Amino acid sequence: MPIVTITLQAGRPAIELRSIMDAIHSATVSAFSVPESSRNQRLIEIAPDLYFKPDGRSKAFMTIEIASFPGRSDAAKAALYQQITENLRRSNAIDSKDVMILLHEPAYENWGINGQPATRFKPA
């Protein structure tokens, strides 16, 4: 169950925000084999005058941070990055240069689920 945080400039309509969230979730389901029902997302909107972005990026620029259990292959991670950017391009016409993804992989002992350390759920 990855935890996804999307940060972007405020001002988009709610339907577009939902479409962005759906596009990212769809990529985690496909690339990381996350169950469709295992959706843990939050979206943070920042006022335009307080949202600074790298040169060459448009007002559509966003960062996507994903915390997930460690252990996925480099190929699975590459597929995730590609699918997120492709889904966002198709659903919202967001250019890949406006998408920055950071994957965090905290060790199992750094997760707590249902009051238990995630080491309890670690694959053998």
Side-chain angles (χ1 to χ4, degrees):
M1 165 180 41
I3 300 171
V4 177
T5 303
I6 306 153
T7 306
L8 44 70
Q9 181 174 304
R12 291 182 168 117
I15 193 165
E16 185 176 341
L17 297 175
R18 181 57 191 243
S19 178
I20 288 168
M21 296 175 84
D22 290 346
I24 295 167
H25 181 65
S26 175
T28 64
V29 169
S30 176
F32 275 14
S33 299
V34 171
E36 180 67 39
S37 63
S38 185
R39 188 169 183 156
N40 190 346
Q41 292 180 311
R42 65 181 173 175
L43 188 138
I44 301 169
E45 294 183 280
I46 299 179
D49 58 336
L50 297 175
Y51 191 64
F52 300 95
K53 52 196 171 298
D55 287 340
R57 304 318 202 272
S58 78
K59 66 180 183 177
F61 179 76
M62 67 182 69
T63 58
I64 302 163
E65 295 185 59
I66 302 169
S68 72
F69 290 148
R72 290 187 172 89
S73 70
D74 289 348
K77 293 173 191 179
L80 176 70
Y81 308 147
Q82 187 277 325
Q83 288 177 27
I84 287 173
T85 55
E86 179 60 20
N87 289 356
L88 290 170
R89 184 194 63 74
R90 272 197 324 261
S91 65
N92 295 87
I94 296 171
D95 192 292
S96 62
K97 75 176 180 9
D98 285 322
V99 180
M100 184 176 290
I101 302 165
L102 176 60
L103 180 63
H104 302 279
E105 294 182 296
Y108 281 90
E109 61 269 17
N110 295 323
W111 291 79
I113 301 172
N114 301 331
Q116 301 289 320
T119 51
R120 178 175 176 206
F121 306 101
K122 184 178 178 178

